[in-house]
Amino acid sequence: QVQLVESGGGLVQPGGSLRLSCAASGSIFSRSLMGWYRQAPGKQRELVAEITTDGSTNNADSVKGRFTISRDNAKNTGYLQMNSLKYEDSAVYYCKLHGWSWSGPYDYWGQGTQVTVSS
């Protein structure tokens, strides 16, 4: 069973930075699409950024120019560097792995890490 563990969340002032990490167990990380999602209270979970196995990235318009997604396949770890944080970035952030195995498609989610932007 694959486990994803996020870390790096916390309380930060507007304009500040945080770096989230997502550590994966098992051997599927390097062949999986990895995404960061977030969910604020009362809102639906939304895609923040994703990165393919070969490093191509896609960011939501709301975070373009501020957030950077990356991955280190050797460490089975993904990252989300968040700069110039805004109040509206406050949410629980989740990482997800998506891919295909012999039994079909899979999705694995982490437990989430809270990011709070407040003065």
Side-chain angles (χ1 to χ4, degrees):
Q1 182 71 11
V2 174
Q3 289 188 327
L4 303 180
V5 179
E6 299 102 333
S7 60
L11 175 65
V12 63
Q13 293 185 339
S17 298
L18 284 175
R19 189 194 195 203
L20 306 183
S21 298
C22 173
S25 64
S27 60
I28 66 168
F29 182 84
S30 62
R31 53 184 174 86
S32 300
L33 173 73
M34 192 194 79
W36 284 97
Y37 292 74
R38 66 187 181 187
Q39 187 168 20
K43 294 188 176 181
Q44 289 189 332
R45 191 172 296 189
E46 62 175 357
L47 175 67
V48 175
E50 59 186 359
I51 183 168
T52 65
T53 55
D54 63 359
S56 298
T57 63
N58 176 47
N59 286 10
D61 288 343
S62 59
V63 305
K64 282 182 179 177
R66 301 188 298 121
F67 291 10
T68 302
I69 188 172
S70 61
R71 64 191 299 162
D72 185 339
N73 290 336
K75 295 183 178 180
N76 281 357
T77 302
Y79 306 96
L80 185 67
Q81 178 66 44
M82 305 187 295
N83 299 328
S84 302
L85 283 160
K86 304 177 180 180
Y87 292 112
E88 53 263 41
D89 294 320
S90 296
V92 178
Y93 283 71
Y94 301 88
C95 65
K96 187 185 87 168
L97 294 184
H98 171 76
W100 288 81
S101 69
W102 63 270
S103 59
Y106 59 79
D107 286 306
Y108 294 105
W109 290 89
Q111 83 288 349
T113 185
Q114 177 71 48
V115 172
T116 302
V117 183
S118 176
S119 56

